[in-house]
Each structure stands twice: as structure tokens, then as C-alpha cells.
Amino acid sequence: MFFIDQILLIVALLLLIGIGSSKLSTRVGVPVLVLFLLVGMLAGSEGIGRIPFDNYPLAHGIATVSLAIILFDGGLRTPMASFRLAWRPALVLASFGVFATAVITGFAAAFLLGIPIEQGLLLGSIVGSTDAAAVFALLRAQGLNLNRRLASTLEVESGSNDPMAVFMTIGMIEWILGRVDSPAGMLSLFFTQMGVGAALGYAVGRLGTWTVNRIRLDSTGLYPILITGFGLLSFGSAAMLGGSGFLAVYISGLVIGNRKITFKNGVLLFQDGAAWLAQITLFVMLGMLSFPTRLAEAAPDGLIIAGVLIFVARPIAVAASVFPFRFNLRELTLLAWGGLKGAVPIVLASYPLLFGVPGGEVIFDVIFFVVLVSAVSQGWTLPLLARRLGLEEPRAESPPVTLEISSLRDVDGDIVEYSVTPGSRAANRLVRDLALPEVAVVAMVARGAGMIPPRGSTRILPGDHVFVVLRPEVRALVDRAFAVVGEAPAAVPADVEFPIQGKVTVAALREFYDIEIDAPGDWTLDQLLRTRLGTDNLHEDARIVIGGVALTIRRLAADGSVSLVGLSFRA
């Protein structure tokens, strides 16, 4: 057997065991990253696998690629609405919060462990950030469903705070080795890392969007690879120019993911698989890199640092960072407890070894133990804490089927899936009574484990997943039709005209779109326009303004009735 054959066999076994452990994770509630780490530790030189692995440069390379893929996938899946909702508190946590956590932990480590202040601050910098892979796995893979603002804050923070931890770690190493000897040098490094990373991430994201929508490839399978290539390009180009590759790859994913691109669903499916592969590879490899006997020796110091980090540094940093943003005490508690540690601190803990910093092995072992404590204690109990605090929300069941437009070029159409809740405006209504715009049609209804081809007489029930094919410009209005009764209506642009059939009633406009018109509810728009305009003024482009909306005749039937009306909201 060739050496490569042995490598392939080992990799295959580790992947299969890793995937099996992820299934076990959902059953017993253990955070998936803990099981991946344990698989690696069992496979390592002191485990039953007896696979020797202590190549820190190779581990750093594999970890960097894996983290880039995980962060890129996280950016692709972060809706811009979530980013807008939480970017202020999240970015304060990702910058000042990481700094405060690192400083408090660093000074405590120096005092309690009796190490030089420089090494203490280095240790604090390494554990200062929350881990994107851990947070994404908990919120998405393990089904923890928080309210939108809280979940968005945790996701955006974890996706954007790695650059700060990397900057502080590298800065402290440079300081210890005498390569940076002034605060001005540290500030220059900081602004270079953040500025170059953000600028290149945005530029490459826009370039990737433009390219993928204009290039004609022979196979749809090449589009996900093309998108991944742009993600890695943003990381590499930023790193080459002295910027943060981690920030760049996250922003490029955010830019691409929030724009319409060719074969988008296929791209997301590919990236989901790539991110899982990266996560399994990363944590199993890091587990193999550890030595349980050394971890046992580092346990006392690790417990002290973990205690300071979890119960002192993170809560203080959260309270100081987000108090202006009106989070209540329950939400602050969850944000503080949600500072999960994962792969990034372990990867950063290898930097002192790579750069020859004194005491590097001790720092690595302590950090590894801290990550295990954080992952087990916080990762295992966070869902329980969310439920106890009343912050977990019911998760809509995934539809048993999906629907997708597959095209080798951009098309002016979207498929939107709406989960119908008991309070939805569309619940218990017939399809023909939904009063949807003319350029929106119900294409499929998924109910239970089956699919229902919709007809006008099909009744939509709570729990259904309704797939609507629509033109993008009418999305905001259709969202209202499936919204929950009593919720504040979604904003609708005032400069867009929505084509509505003339047979739609005034009552339907009120019920589905919150449009109040002073007219009998059983009147159709045809009757309303005929009455208000009179027979002599009934022609195409004739309009009336009533109830905060403008109604314009866009099409007359052969019998003279109004068959299509342009509805627009008044600014």
C-alpha cells in the first residue's frame, strides 16, 4: 500500500466518524465542535489511533483555509437585514468588546498565574474573540432559534471579531519580540489590517457578483467553484497587502450573498458542504494536535483562566460595549454567556510556537483547555439558558420539498418560500382570495411530507410552506400578504407600482396589505374606479388618489371593465 493510500484511508475514516459524531451531537446535546475535537484527540499520538501529528506550520495552513471557508459561508448566509439590524452592537462587541475581554483576562492571567504582563496580555488576546464556527454551528446546525436582533448580534459579532483577535495576538507577539515598540506602531498595524481587509472584501465581493452574472460557463457545477475562488481571492489579496484576510473573506461573502447571482441555491448548497468539511477537518486536526498528558498538567491554570474569561471578562466587556443599544438584562446575560471559544483561539495559540515566543507550548496547552471548558460549559448550556430566560423562539419546520429556478443566466424572477403560522394573514384562505399582484403566483404548497399542486380552490393551512414565484419588485407587497396579523406592516417603497387585478376587493386590500380605503368592503377596484371616475373619464392611465394610495387604470377589458390596476403608495 502506498503512503497516499494510507492517508486517504485515515482521512475517510476520520470524516465518517466526524459526520457520525455530528448526528450524535444533536441527540445528546453535546456541542458538535467538542465531539470533533474528541475524535481528533482519540486519533492522535496519545489516543487509540496513535497518529503522530505535531506539525504546527502545516496545522496553521490547514486551519487558515478552513476558517476562510467557514467565514465565507457565514457571510453568504447573513442577510443584509440582519446585518443592518445588529451591526452597531455587533461591531462594538467585535472591536472594543474583544479588546476589553483581552485586557481583563490578560491582567488577571499575569496576576493569578505569576507570568510576565506581556505574556498575560498575549494569552488574553488569543482568547478574546468568540468563534464563528462554534456560534454558526449552535445557531444553525443545532437549532437554537433566538429573536432576530439577538441572533444577528451573535452571528455578526462572531463573523467579524476574528480580525481584532488576530491583530492583538500578532501585535503582542511583535511587542514581545521587540519588532513593535510604540503605541503608534500598534495603531498603524490595526488600521492597516481593518482598512485593507474591509476595502478588499467589498471590492472582491462586487467583482465576484459582476463576474458570475455575466460569464457563461459550460456547467452549473462550475459556478459554486467560481464563487469560492473569489472568496479565497479576497482573503489572499488582503493578506498580501497587509490587511485582515478573515475580515475580507467575511465581507466578500456578505456582499455576494446579499445580491442576486446565477445559480444561487446551488452555490449555497455547495458552500454548506464545504463549510461542514472545513469544520470537521479543522476541529479533528486541532484535536490531533493536542496532547492529553500536557492538557492534564495545564488544567489548573486553564480552569483559572476559563473562570475569569467566562464569569468576569466577557460579562464586563458585553455590559460596557452594548449598554447604549437598549438590550435588557436577560439579553445581556445571554450575550455574555454566548461568547463561545473554538477554533480561532487554538489556531492563534499556535502563533507563539511558530514565532518562537518563550513559553509557547504552555500557552497552547492552557488555551486548548480553556476552549474545551468554554465549549462544554457554554455550548452545552446556552440553549437551556435561552429557554430559561424566555429568549428562544419556536423554529418554523423546514419544508419537505424545495423549489428553485435554475438558469445559466440571471432571470428577472424569484421563488420565495413563506412559512404559514396560525396568525398569518394567508392562513385558512383560498389561493384565489389572496389578492396577490398579477406578477406573483403560488407555484407549490408543501404540507406535511407531501406536495400540493395549488389551484384557486386550494385552502392554505397553518404549517404549510407556500412557494411563490414573483417579480422581485413586488416582494415587499407579497411579504405583507403572508405576515402575521397585528405585526407592524413591512415598509413598501413609494416609487414602485404594483399590478393588481381589477376584481380584487377593497376588503382584501385592507386585510392583506393594511390599505384603508373609504369605500364599501365588497366593492372591487373595478367598481371603485368606475364610481369615482365616471364613465366619461374611464380610460387607461386615468387615476385616483384615495386612502394613501394611488390607483391607476392599466388595462381595460373588451367589455369596458377595469381588469388591471396599478397600485402605488403615496410618499
Side-chain angles (χ1 to χ4, degrees):
M1 177 181 286
F2 292 105
F3 178 69
I4 187 62
D5 300 333
Q6 300 176 32
I7 295 295
L8 288 175
L9 176 61
I10 293 170
V11 169
L13 289 173
L14 290 176
L15 283 176
L16 292 173
I17 294 171
I19 293 171
S21 66
S22 72
K23 189 67 177 177
L24 177 64
S25 169
T26 59
R27 288 180 178 273
V28 300
V30 179
V32 67
L33 68 90
V34 175
L35 291 179
F36 291 162
L37 284 172
L38 290 178
V39 168
M41 294 171 71
L42 289 172
S45 57
E46 295 185 354
I48 59 177
R50 301 293 179 183
I51 301 173
F53 185 71
D54 60 354
N55 190 329
Y56 290 101
L58 176 61
H60 171 259
I62 294 173
T64 299
V65 175
S66 299
L67 284 172
I69 292 172
I70 292 168
L71 285 170
F72 186 59
D73 179 69
L76 284 173
R77 295 176 188 279
T78 301
M80 190 57 69
S82 297
F83 187 82
R84 292 193 187 101
L85 184 66
W87 73 269
R88 290 181 179 86
L91 294 188
V92 174
L93 275 174
S95 52
F96 176 77
V98 172
F99 176 79
T101 302
V103 170
I104 295 170
T105 306
F107 276 103
F111 176 74
L112 295 173
L113 304 184
I115 59 178
I117 189 64
E118 294 86 356
Q119 288 193 0
L121 289 174
L122 173 60
L123 192 152
S125 300
I126 291 172
V127 296
S129 67
T130 58
D131 186 68
V135 172
F136 291 156
L138 193 64
L139 293 180
R140 295 173 184 172
Q142 292 184 237
L144 177 58
N145 193 39
L146 304 173
N147 69 63
R148 283 186 59 200
R149 187 180 184 223
L150 201 55
S152 298
T153 300
L154 282 172
E155 285 196 8
V156 176
E157 179 209 359
S158 67
S160 58
N161 67 5
D162 292 341
M164 186 68 177
V166 172
F167 154 72
M168 292 189 67
T169 300
I170 293 176
M172 286 308 306
I173 290 174
E174 297 282 300
W175 188 286
I176 292 172
L177 297 179
R179 298 172 185 172
V180 173
D181 56 3
S182 69
M186 294 284 283
L187 284 174
S188 174
L189 179 63
F190 172 78
F191 286 113
T192 300
Q193 285 269 306
M194 301 303 169
V196 172
L200 278 172
Y202 180 78
V204 174
R206 291 298 299 270
L207 176 64
T209 304
W210 183 87
T211 302
V212 77
N213 285 335
R214 285 162 178 78
I215 194 170
R216 299 293 181 87
L217 299 176
D218 294 332
S219 170
T220 55
L222 292 174
Y223 285 93
I225 299 174
L226 177 65
I227 291 293
T228 304
F230 276 104
L232 296 178
L233 175 65
S234 66
F235 185 100
S237 57
M240 285 290 291
L241 295 176
S244 169
F246 293 113
L247 181 61
V249 75
Y250 179 73
I251 290 179
S252 66
L254 191 67
V255 171
I256 294 172
N258 283 278
R259 282 171 170 76
K260 192 173 181 180
I261 58 172
T262 300
F263 203 55
K264 187 170 185 176
N265 283 357
V267 169
L268 292 176
L269 285 172
F270 175 86
Q271 286 298 328
D272 184 54
W276 270 109
L277 177 62
Q279 189 167 251
I280 294 171
T281 302
L282 176 61
F283 288 113
V284 170
M285 179 203 69
L286 293 175
M288 293 174 62
L289 200 61
S290 68
F291 295 87
T293 54
R294 281 171 30 189
L295 288 180
E297 296 174 3
D301 291 345
L303 282 172
I304 292 172
I305 300 303
V308 171
L309 181 65
I310 294 171
F311 295 107
V312 180
R314 171 71 179 183
I316 292 175
V318 167
S321 299
V322 303
F323 77 92
F325 301 106
R326 299 181 180 178
F327 285 95
N328 60 42
L329 182 60
R330 293 180 300 126
E331 292 171 329
L332 288 174
T333 301
L334 195 74
L335 284 174
W337 197 250
L340 277 74
K341 309 305 170 187
V344 172
I346 300 177
V347 174
L348 293 181
S350 69
Y351 282 23
L353 293 167
L354 293 174
F355 288 95
V357 175
E361 283 191 357
V362 175
I363 291 176
F364 181 88
D365 293 337
V366 170
I367 296 299
F368 197 102
F369 192 86
V370 169
V371 169
L372 282 178
V373 172
S374 170
V376 172
S377 62
Q378 294 174 284
W380 206 331
T381 59
L382 191 64
L384 176 62
L385 180 64
R387 286 191 289 271
R388 289 290 179 86
L389 294 173
L391 296 173
E392 187 174 23
E393 298 185 350
R395 179 180 291 273
E397 293 185 6
S398 298
V401 292
T402 58
L403 197 61
E404 176 183 357
I405 295 177
S406 294
S407 174
L408 292 183
R409 61 178 180 177
D410 192 20
V411 294
D412 190 20
D414 286 333
I415 295 177
V416 182
E417 182 242 320
Y418 293 98
S419 298
V420 181
T421 63
S424 171
R425 300 177 193 273
N428 300 306
R429 300 300 187 101
L430 301 181
V431 168
R432 62 169 171 258
D433 295 333
L434 291 180
L436 296 178
E438 190 178 64
V439 290
V441 61
V442 175
M444 185 173 70
V445 177
R447 180 176 298 160
M451 180 191 72
I452 300 174
R455 297 178 175 84
S457 58
T458 301
R459 187 173 297 278
I460 295 174
L461 302 178
D464 286 352
H465 296 270
V466 180
F467 294 84
V468 180
V469 179
L470 49 76
R471 294 277 291 272
E473 61 267 20
V474 303
R475 168 73 183 270
L477 195 66
V478 178
D479 286 349
R480 284 195 177 193
F482 286 89
V484 174
V485 176
E487 282 188 352
V492 177
D495 57 343
V496 175
E497 184 175 276
F498 302 96
I500 301 291
Q501 293 183 3
K503 63 183 179 181
V504 170
T505 65
V506 170
L509 293 182
R510 181 184 304 115
E511 292 169 10
F512 288 106
Y513 304 125
D514 291 306
I515 297 173
E516 293 290 344
I517 293 178
D518 184 18
D522 59 351
W523 277 19
T524 64
L525 295 182
D526 170 43
Q527 290 175 281
L528 175 64
L529 286 162
R530 283 173 168 276
T531 302
R532 294 298 174 95
L533 289 171
T535 306
D536 294 339
N537 295 317
L538 202 66
H539 57 81
E540 291 185 2
D541 296 331
R543 68 187 316 214
I544 63 173
V545 177
I546 182 173
V549 296
L551 301 174
T552 306
I553 298 176
R554 290 306 179 198
R555 187 170 65 227
L556 292 171
D559 61 0
S561 62
V562 178
S563 61
L564 186 66
V565 177
L567 183 151
S568 57
F569 288 76
R570 305 290 291 173

